[in-house]
């Protein structure tokens, strides 16, 4: 039995496995610029975040109907559950679909259909977090939030993703203020490729409660002290960091250091179909590469539930935390 955990940094579009991509392409009459799944997998050699994003947005062409989004999310939830995920807070990128003529309602209703039965089917509770593309304009982000207003009962929070460098958090001050007024929780990618100052800005200007990635916080000791003091969760994605060349090899990942200084680190998969593994695979990979023991793995699992947006269901959080405390590590369990 895998260690119970929450996944807090997961782009649903990043769970599009090559097999599903080709099945949806055939169903929707979309021609992909790859001969087969093998040729597509061959293209997963990324040099940086942008080289990944180009392929990631391109492959979304196959996602057209609500059923496509339902199938995508259902497949993720089944695979995640098999790796111990008990709760998932799932990102989606509405602008990437609206730009292709897919209505935001189609995306949200399609995802919601899968999420609504995830508890019964897979024993996984869920939340949805709508991300703004930071390489699009602030006006586009505001228009997207406006378009989402009929569906706000399905959305727990907002996030910020896509190409980071050159698109600092402050660009999105207005839309985050509006999101706060609407009662939405706030997170943002910061410090993945961008500098530690973007992490500060996300906290100070956008009022975020968690930092997605936050890898580069260690470059700023005062910032680290603040993150530790305020218990700001970092949603780290180790296999993603290696695949997108933020770090050279997993053995160099600062996760152990981060736990050592008291940062509230969590481990997540980001875009598992592209980066070589789901969240349990990420746990296993850092366990092996960094020599993490049961105490550290349990801390990571505990952190994932403490950092999750379960304030509306504290009884559930307590149940999940009790599962973590009761977990018995077998040989190599993660
Ligand atoms: N970083 C930024 N934007 C993203 C990512 C990522 O790792 N995955 C999907 N959108
Ligand atoms: Zn991400």
């Amino acid at each position: 039995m895998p260690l119970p955990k929450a996944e807090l940094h997961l782009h649903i579009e990043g769970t599009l496995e090559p097999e599903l991509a080709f099945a949806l392409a055939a169903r929707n009459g979309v021609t992909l610029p790859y001969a087969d799944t093998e040729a597509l997998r061959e293209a997963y050699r990324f040099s940086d975040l942008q080289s990944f994003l180009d392929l990631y947005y391109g492959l979304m062409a196959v996602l057209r109907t609500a059923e496509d989004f339902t199938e995508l999310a259902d497949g993720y939830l089944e695979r995640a559950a098999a790796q111990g995920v008990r709760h998932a807070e799932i990102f989606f990128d509405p602008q990437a679909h609206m730009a292709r003529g897919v209505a935001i309602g189609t995306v949200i209703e399609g995802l919601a259909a899968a999420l609504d039965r995830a508890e019964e089917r897979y024993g996984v509770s869920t939340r949805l977090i709508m991300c703004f593309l930071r390489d699009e304009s602030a006006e586009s982000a505001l228009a997207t939030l406006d378009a989402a207003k009929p569906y706000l009962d399905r959305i727990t929070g907002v996030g910020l993703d896509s190409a980071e460098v050159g698109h600092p958090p402050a660009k999105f001050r207005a839309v985050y203020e509006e999101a706060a007024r609407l009662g939405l929780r706030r997170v943002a990618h910061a410090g993945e490729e961008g500098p530690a100052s973007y992490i500060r800005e996300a906290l100070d200007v956008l009022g975020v409660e968690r930092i997605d990635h936050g890898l580069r916080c260690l470059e700023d000791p005062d910032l680290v002290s603040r993150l530790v003091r305020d218990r700001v969760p970092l949603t780290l994605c180790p296999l993603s960091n290696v695949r997108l060349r933020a770090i050279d090899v997993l053995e160099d990942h600062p996760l152990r250091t981060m736990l050592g200084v008291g940062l509230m680190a969590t481990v997540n998969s980001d875009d598992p179909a592209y980066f070589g593994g789901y969240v349990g695979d990420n746990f296993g990979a850092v366990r092996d590469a960094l020599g993490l023991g049961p105490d550290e793995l349990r801390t990571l699992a505990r952190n994932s539930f403490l950092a999750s947006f379960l304030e509306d269901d504290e009884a559930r959080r307590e149940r999940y935390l009790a599962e973590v405390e009761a977990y018995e590590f077998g040989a190599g369990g993660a």
Side-chain angles (χ1 to χ4, degrees), residues 12 49 60 83 86 90 105 107-108 116 124 131 147 168 188 208 215 223 233 249 256-258 286 288 297 326:
I12 199 64
L49 174 58
M60 285 183 202
Q83 296 204 354
R86 304 284 284 112
I90 298 174
V107 179
I108 295 174
D116 282 346
V124 180
C131 285
V208 302
L215 192 65
L223 173 62
V249 290
R256 179 185 266 284
T257 307
M258 288 172 154
V286 289
D288 295 345
L297 296 170

Side-chain angles (χ1 to χ4, degrees), residues 248-272:
D248 286 336
V249 290
L250 211 50
E251 285 72 13
D252 290 346
H253 200 283
L255 173 62
R256 179 185 266 284
T257 307
M258 288 172 154
L259 287 172
V261 300
L263 283 163
M264 190 159 184
T266 66
V267 164
N268 307 271
S269 70
D270 211 2
D271 301 282

Side-chain angles (χ1 to χ4, degrees), residues 9 11 13-14 49 52-53 56-57 93 133-134 160-164 189 192 213 237 240 244 270-271 275:
H9 186 157
H11 303 265
E13 297 89 348
L49 174 58
F52 157 70
L53 291 171
Y56 166 82
Y57 293 126
D93 285 330
L133 303 183
R134 66 201 307 156
L160 189 62
D161 65 4
S162 201
E164 184 181 6
H189 284 52
E192 180 185 17
H213 292 296
C237 306
S240 165
L244 299 187
D270 211 2
D271 301 282
F275 299 153

Side-chain angles (χ1 to χ4, degrees), residues 83-163:
Q83 296 204 354
V85 171
R86 304 284 284 112
H87 177 76
E89 302 193 348
I90 298 174
F91 294 143
F92 68 109
D93 285 330
Q95 285 155 294
H97 308 301
M98 293 158 79
R100 304 182 291 107
V102 179
I104 193 167
T106 302
V107 179
I108 295 174
E109 283 168 2
L111 295 175
L115 272 48
D116 282 346
R117 60 194 190 212
E119 175 110 51
E120 187 189 341
R121 278 196 181 179
Y122 309 119
V124 180
S125 53
T126 56
R127 300 285 187 275
L128 271 180
I129 298 178
M130 180 173 85
C131 285
F132 305 114
L133 303 183
R134 66 201 307 156
D135 44 357
E136 297 290 332
S137 68
E139 291 71 29
S140 173
L142 277 163
T144 305
L145 183 56
D146 211 42
K149 282 188 179 151
Y151 310 98
L152 286 187
D153 58 330
R154 305 297 326 211
I155 297 172
T156 296
V158 296
L160 189 62
D161 65 4
S162 201

